[in-house]
């Protein structure tokens, strides 16, 4: 299952959520700290990790 990174625009806290694509497309996520819906998805780190430079 993919992990999505979010940052809350309200309290500036970042958090991750692991969910299926179906769940992700449903939307309606809230910040776990302040329950705000003003969250923004951060770019996935999938491509950043595991790239070997050798
Ligand atoms: Zn928040």
């Amino acid at each position: 299952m993919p992990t999505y990174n979010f940052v809350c625009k309200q309290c500036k806290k970042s958090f991750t959520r692991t969910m299926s694509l179906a769940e992700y497309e449903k939307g309606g996520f809230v910040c776990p700290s302040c329950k705000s819906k003003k969250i923004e998805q951060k770019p996935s780190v999938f491509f950043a990790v595991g790239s070997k430079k050798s």
Side-chain angles (χ1 to χ4, degrees), residues 12-26:
K12 312 285 186 198
K13 280 185 181 172
S14 57
F15 58 98
T16 58
R17 282 199 58 176
T18 305
M19 57 191 151
S20 65
L21 189 62
E23 243 181 311
Y24 173 72
E25 285 178 341
K26 240 188 281 173

Side-chain angles (χ1 to χ4, degrees), residues 8-10 28-31 34-40:
C8 175
K9 287 179 157 184
Q10 193 85 23
F29 323 120
V30 295
C31 170
C34 69
K35 311 291 183 208
S36 170
K37 285 181 182 172
K38 289 181 182 175
I39 58 173
E40 193 173 70

